[in-house]
Amino acid sequence: MKYIIISAIICLMAHIRLSAQTVSVIDALTREPLPYVNISSGSNSFITNEKGQASVDMLKGVDSIYFSILGYETKLRSYRMLQTKKFIVLMQPADFKLDEVVVSANRWAQSRSEISQRVSVIRPTEIALQNPQTSADLIGQSGEVFIQKSQQGGGSPMIRGFSTNRLLIAVDGVRMNTAIFRGGNLQNIISVDPYTVQSVEVLFGPGSVMYGSDAIGGVMAFSTLGAMMSDRGTTVHGKVSSRFSSANNEMSTHLDVAVAGKKWASVTSFSYNHFGDLRMGKNGPEEYLKPYYIVRQDSVDRVVTNSDPLVQNPSGYNQQNLMQKFIFQPNDNLKFEYGLYYSTTTDYSRYDRLLRLKNGIPRSAEWYYGPQDWTMHKLSVTHQQSGLLYDQMQLSVALQQFAESRHDRDLNKNIRYNRMEEVAAYSMNLDFNRQLGLRDKLLYGLELVRNDIQSSGTDENIRTGVVVAGPARYPESLWSSYALFGAYQYHFGAKTTAQAGLRYNYYQLQASFDTTLFALPFKDATMSRGALTGSLGLTHKASDSFVLMANLATGFRSPNVDDMGKIFDSQPGAVMVPNPDLKPEYAYNAEAGISKVFAKSLKIDLTAYYTMLTDALVRREFQLNGSDSVMYQGEMSRVFAIQNAASANVYGVQAAVELKLPAGFSFFSNLTWQKGEEELDDGTTSPLRHAAPLFGMARVRYAMPKVMLELNTHYSAKVSYDEMPEEEKGKSYMYAIDGDGNPFSPAWFTLNFKTLVKVNDNFTVSGGVENLFDKRYRPYSSGLVAPGRNLLFSLQYSF
């Protein structure tokens, strides 16, 4: 009944007609509305709303009206010309966007040409064309971030040789990283609903000055659908979307509705995804096939022949996302915004763990994650007014609640081990922006973060139903971080900009261990240390078509609860134990880059970097109560612990080429090459585990009004056995086997076709075919085989 009522309200409000004269500003190629376009004439200046519309009643009879936004050619129109064109303005994309606005580098909007680090921006048009199933797929399809998957319900980004808790995820400016982000692969990124993502900015290299701990390899900053006010009375708009994908029989639906007034606005979003078991391609290594799966019949685990070895059973799951935002702006200088974000999944199998064998038969009967729940409440206040302390100020407070669990049971064993974790993450950010003079600016602020961690464990006898207490994965813990930071920007004339940043971070970790089930030499542990990081950057805009940049920066990662207090089996016959004697690890990075446009038709971006990691927190052999082995979950296991016991380095090149061709055609390609080494326990070195092989993408695109077609390829180079990290060599169940019987990761490429057609102002159809040649491939370090040939189709109705 409630859905009928909601539908009726939407239909009614969608037919409201406004008396004000409204101009619509539209991208000339995609026919998508352009929000935030500046409209100016004389002393009058205002911007378009989220639907690319604005009232122009005040400009009646005016001869010169300018429409401008970075990345597009400025339009000059008279009011009479607007009448002739039925108040529709088509804006042509500029040839190339050297001055594109980005936010991730300093938490405030600024031109990319002023930023001395590499930043990749994924815009709404790209997201709509590529149709990603998850946010991990979204950034992976950019070709600049390598994605590892242990299971379908996941996606762990790799950036510049770093991954997991050495990368930072931010959602609308709030850090998602918690004190239990581990060094192994993570899947938290899938909690971000790709249907609500407006843009993603990937900042490459250390971002600790602005974002604190974990921002060593880079920062992934997601901006989600926002609420926009209307200057024309109450308005209602939104969209309904659905998508089908054949490789996993995906069925996804999405609805968002925005209601706006002159001083307030609201946006509501809901998404539902069903992902079935994923089907791999027909053409590739035989080792990747799934010839069996486990069922339980008559209280016995049975290994059953898979009728279709191309289907990765079990790998399917479902997901739901909800988002609600409200804004209230009593005047031009003050704005309040509240956001509620919620995501949950069903149980989903840890697919790579189900591939392990013991004595020639599957080791595990079941290994799955429980529902991954994420809730965030965010309240922000933005104030603009020139004063002694700031011109702009933003206060953001947030509460995030995470719940996750893991469950495993060996084949034909009765005990299922259940481990549950909950994190309450509180944060406060206070950011200031102060223009000191014509040439210089100060960006500064403070950050407070607190994580409360609750962890529990049970051992469940599935035959008798008896449940007893089991060891928790983590101790009951409190992790806190307090920071002051600032960045000073100075313009040496119109072409050269320098920026220096500094951050001091103090963190504390308090943990209480339960020693009744696992003997430890301590019951309580406390850590508290400070960390100082900085950055120095220089950009030089030699001309409108040529930018040079250089940057020196440090990053850090403070030990968290996963480092200091974890107890779990990291692999068969090995157990991780707590180690309270840890200190931060530091990264030192140097990079330089150029961006050059030739004859307004060819653009080249090139960045080279070198990063050194010291006091790296790594897994090493350890002793517990004087013993190097203990009994854990019925198996004698070698003792390991996280220690500051290694160093690592990584260097590489990131390149991109874009070519504008006649008749609406264009070509784009990017490539990432990197090489890294890490120190091993015996002092020798090994290739860095999270340094992905050479990878990239290339595409040819045809874009005309209302139609976009694209043929693209994604590719990755081979990782031979000799080039594999020592840690990966023991995972033969995940890799192909070479002629010598050793595991290796073969090279692969896919050819993909995408299309987007704007049928009219309301209907958009998109789709395509991915992996046209039905390749069977497994990206490096992944347990899940990538999708085979995938037919996808999406329909969107806007109102």
Side-chain angles (χ1 to χ4, degrees):
M1 175 63 71
K2 65 179 180 180
Y3 296 109
I4 296 175
I5 296 173
I6 292 173
S7 300
I9 293 173
I10 292 172
C11 291
L12 177 64
M13 297 301 294
H15 288 84
I16 292 177
R17 295 293 183 261
L18 303 173
S19 59
Q21 185 57 66
T22 301
V23 66
S24 296
V25 185
I26 299 172
D27 185 302
L29 291 181
T30 67
R31 288 304 199 263
E32 291 292 320
L34 286 177
Y36 316 122
V37 174
N38 185 67
I39 304 173
S40 61
S41 179
S43 60
N44 294 313
S45 179
F46 46 94
I47 63 173
T48 59
N49 62 17
E50 195 173 53
K51 294 200 71 175
Q53 297 176 335
S55 170
V56 290
D57 282 346
M58 66 181 70
L59 302 179
K60 284 183 178 179
V62 173
D63 291 329
S64 300
I65 305 172
Y66 292 90
F67 297 81
S68 63
I69 184 173
L70 285 175
Y72 289 82
E73 297 176 359
T74 298
K75 285 280 188 180
L76 173 62
R77 293 286 184 267
S78 67
Y79 192 84
R80 184 182 295 276
M81 290 175 67
L82 292 178
Q83 288 177 312
T84 302
K85 298 294 185 180
K86 298 181 179 180
F87 291 92
I88 295 175
V89 176
L90 300 179
M91 297 194 70
Q92 294 285 344
D95 290 322
F96 296 105
K97 302 176 182 178
L98 291 181
D99 287 325
E100 187 173 22
V101 173
V102 296
V103 178
S104 59
N106 288 308
R107 302 177 67 92
W108 292 100
Q110 63 182 127
S111 170
R112 189 201 292 237
S113 64
E114 297 177 342
I115 298 171
S116 58
Q117 287 179 267
R118 187 179 185 91
V119 180
S120 174
V121 183
I122 306 172
R123 293 300 184 190
T125 302
E126 285 297 319
I127 299 171
L129 178 63
Q130 299 305 328
N131 260 315
Q133 292 189 353
T134 70
S135 287
D137 297 334
L138 191 162
I139 61 172
Q141 289 175 349
S142 70
E144 295 192 84
V145 178
F146 194 90
I147 300 295
Q148 180 277 350
K149 288 190 177 184
S150 297
Q151 65 281 328
Q152 189 174 191
S156 190
M158 297 183 183
I159 299 176
R160 290 192 174 182
F162 299 102
S163 186
T164 61
N165 55 15
R166 292 185 179 124
L167 301 176
L168 190 128
I169 303 170
V171 181
D172 288 335
V174 179
R175 61 178 289 141
M176 180 181 270
N177 293 42
T178 72
I180 64 170
F181 266 37
R182 57 189 181 271
N185 298 305
L186 290 168
Q187 60 268 11
N188 298 74
I189 196 171
I190 69 169
S191 293
V192 182
D193 182 4
Y195 274 115
T196 65
V197 174
Q198 288 293 94
S199 68
V200 186
E201 295 180 16
V202 182
L203 174 70
F204 294 92
S208 286
V209 169
M210 288 295 165
Y211 292 93
S213 178
D214 303 0
I216 287 179
V219 176
M220 293 163 284
F222 290 85
S223 296
T224 64
L225 188 65
M228 288 286 295
M229 293 174 298
S230 169
D231 58 358
R232 299 167 289 123
T234 303
T235 62
V236 177
H237 66 271
K239 61 179 179 288
V240 181
S241 305
S242 64
R243 183 178 61 233
F244 168 78
S245 299
S246 63
N248 56 357
N249 290 318
E250 177 211 10
M251 292 296 297
S252 293
T253 57
H254 169 79
L255 167 68
D256 64 66
V257 179
V259 184
K262 291 186 176 182
K263 294 187 176 183
W264 62 273
S266 165
V267 61
T268 305
S269 168
F270 174 78
S271 301
Y272 174 80
N273 311 98
H274 166 75
F275 304 114
D277 290 336
L278 184 64
R279 183 182 182 87
M280 66 182 78
K282 290 183 178 180
N283 307 303
E286 297 291 318
E287 296 90 341
Y288 294 172
L289 295 174
K290 185 71 188 302
Y292 63 85
Y293 58 93
I294 310 298
V295 298
R296 188 159 180 87
Q297 296 176 342
D298 302 323
S299 300
V300 176
D301 294 323
R302 303 185 187 277
V303 182
V304 178
T305 299
N306 191 353
S307 60
D308 187 351
L310 298 179
V311 176
Q312 300 175 81
N313 180 2
S315 60
Y317 75 103
N318 298 334
Q319 181 168 339
Q320 298 179 57
N321 285 79
L322 173 70
M323 187 180 75
Q324 175 66 59
K325 290 185 179 180
F326 297 100
I327 63 170
F328 173 62
Q329 186 166 348
N331 54 57
D332 292 340
N333 298 325
L334 185 63
K335 182 170 74 173
F336 300 88
E337 181 174 352
Y338 167 76
L340 167 65
Y341 310 69
Y342 175 70
S343 175
T344 187
T345 70
T346 57
D347 296 345
Y348 53 93
S349 293
R350 174 76 186 264
Y351 183 78
D352 64 338
R353 290 296 179 99
L354 298 176
L355 301 176
R356 301 177 302 169
L357 300 178
K358 184 177 182 181
N359 299 324
I361 61 174
R363 173 185 174 89
S364 299
E366 52 184 340
W367 211 121
Y368 63 93
Y369 290 108
Q372 179 173 292
D373 294 341
W374 172 60
T375 303
M376 179 167 76
H377 301 269
K378 179 198 172 190
L379 177 65
S380 64
V381 181
T382 304
H383 184 243
Q384 302 182 79
Q385 185 172 325
S386 297
L388 180 63
L389 295 179
Y390 62 86
D391 298 318
Q392 294 174 292
M393 178 276 292
Q394 180 166 286
L395 171 66
S396 296
V397 293
L399 165 62
Q400 297 178 82
Q401 295 170 299
F402 300 83
E404 56 190 53
S405 61
R406 62 206 71 220
H407 312 265
D408 68 283
R409 183 176 60 84
D410 286 349
L411 189 72
N412 282 317
K413 300 294 184 181
N414 292 325
I415 303 302
R416 178 191 291 135
Y417 301 102
N418 307 303
R419 304 294 180 258
M420 292 74 69
E421 292 83 46
E422 293 184 356
V423 179
Y426 307 87
S427 63
M428 185 194 79
N429 288 86
L430 187 58
D431 295 284
F432 299 99
N433 185 339
R434 180 73 168 92
Q435 189 74 42
L436 300 177
L438 295 177
R439 293 174 177 264
D440 51 348
K441 180 190 297 185
L442 180 64
L443 310 170
Y444 66 102
L446 60 90
E447 179 186 69
L448 308 177
V449 180
R450 172 188 169 120
N451 285 188
D452 291 335
I453 296 95
Q454 300 292 325
S455 183
S456 61
T458 62
D459 296 345
E460 176 187 0
N461 189 312
I462 65 169
R463 183 177 61 85
T464 65
V466 174
V467 178
V468 299
R473 181 178 171 89
Y474 300 116
E476 183 176 328
S477 309
L478 172 62
W479 183 88
S480 303
S481 170
Y482 314 92
L484 294 171
F485 58 88
Y488 175 72
Q489 188 177 86
Y490 186 82
H491 291 271
F492 296 93
K495 295 185 176 183
T496 304
T497 302
Q499 181 169 293
L502 195 67
R503 180 189 186 102
Y504 178 75
N505 218 112
Y506 179 78
Y507 68 88
Q508 290 181 316
L509 175 56
Q510 299 170 315
S512 298
F513 295 87
D514 183 355
T515 59
T516 58
L517 296 172
F518 203 88
L520 295 172
F522 47 82
K523 290 186 177 181
D524 299 293
T526 302
M527 288 192 300
S528 59
R529 291 179 181 267
L532 184 66
T533 53
S535 64
L536 181 63
L538 187 70
T539 62
H540 178 68
K541 191 173 182 180
S543 67
D544 289 340
S545 61
F546 188 26
V547 176
L548 298 163
M549 68 90 171
N551 180 269
L552 298 172
T554 60
F556 81 100
R557 185 173 78 84
S558 62
N560 63 19
V561 178
D562 187 83
D563 299 311
M564 187 271 279
K566 175 171 56 183
I567 300 176
F568 87 116
D569 60 325
S570 57
Q571 63 187 45
V575 62
M576 296 286 293
V577 300
N579 177 17
D581 188 21
L582 298 174
K583 58 184 179 181
E585 57 183 15
Y586 281 91
Y588 303 88
N589 179 76
E591 69 179 276
I594 63 170
S595 183
K596 173 65 176 173
V597 175
F598 298 89
K600 295 185 179 181
S601 60
L602 175 65
K603 177 184 176 184
I604 296 177
D605 278 310
L606 183 66
T607 303
Y609 66 90
Y610 177 86
T611 305
M612 178 174 62
L613 185 69
T614 63
D615 291 325
L617 293 160
V618 294
R619 190 187 72 164
R620 290 289 183 263
E621 293 183 351
F622 199 63
Q623 289 192 343
L624 186 64
N625 297 326
S627 176
D628 61 5
S629 298
V630 297
M631 188 66 67
Y632 183 73
Q633 293 187 352
E635 182 175 2
M636 184 59 69
S637 301
R638 185 70 175 85
V639 176
F640 289 83
I642 298 295
Q643 303 173 57
N644 292 103
S647 61
N649 65 80
V650 60
Y651 55 91
V653 174
Q654 295 171 273
V657 176
E658 187 173 1
L659 178 64
K660 299 291 186 181
L661 299 169
F665 285 92
S666 64
F667 171 80
F668 175 81
S669 179
N670 60 40
L671 176 147
T672 298
W673 175 85
Q674 57 200 317
K675 185 176 179 60
E677 289 185 337
E678 59 183 333
E679 183 183 2
L680 299 179
D681 205 8
D682 60 2
T684 61
T685 60
S686 167
L688 191 61
R689 177 189 173 195
H690 290 132
L694 181 145
F695 70 97
M697 64 88 71
R699 71 176 184 228
V700 176
R701 179 177 291 177
Y702 173 76
M704 292 296 286
K706 298 188 176 185
V707 177
M708 189 178 296
L709 305 173
E710 178 178 296
L711 188 67
N712 69 57
T713 180
H714 287 256
Y715 57 87
S716 175
K718 170 184 174 181
V719 181
S720 68
Y721 178 75
D722 293 335
E723 296 171 322
M724 291 188 71
E726 290 299 315
E727 187 174 350
E728 294 297 296
K729 289 181 179 180
K731 302 175 182 177
S732 58
Y733 57 89
M734 292 192 339
Y735 290 100
I737 303 300
D738 65 18
D740 296 323
N742 295 319
F744 80 107
S745 180
W748 56 265
F749 77 93
T750 62
L751 189 66
N752 316 283
F753 171 74
K754 298 290 179 70
T755 182
L756 185 148
V757 178
K758 194 170 182 64
V759 179
N760 54 40
D761 291 341
N762 301 108
F763 282 100
T764 301
V765 178
S766 60
V769 183
E770 297 174 330
N771 195 358
L772 280 161
F773 296 144
D774 208 18
K775 295 278 189 176
R776 184 188 307 143
Y777 69 99
R778 179 179 268 152
Y780 163 73
S781 192
S782 294
L784 189 76
V785 182
R789 185 181 296 119
N790 181 37
L791 173 66
L792 60 95
F793 176 79
S794 177
L795 181 65
Q796 177 179 295
Y797 175 73
S798 300
F799 57 88

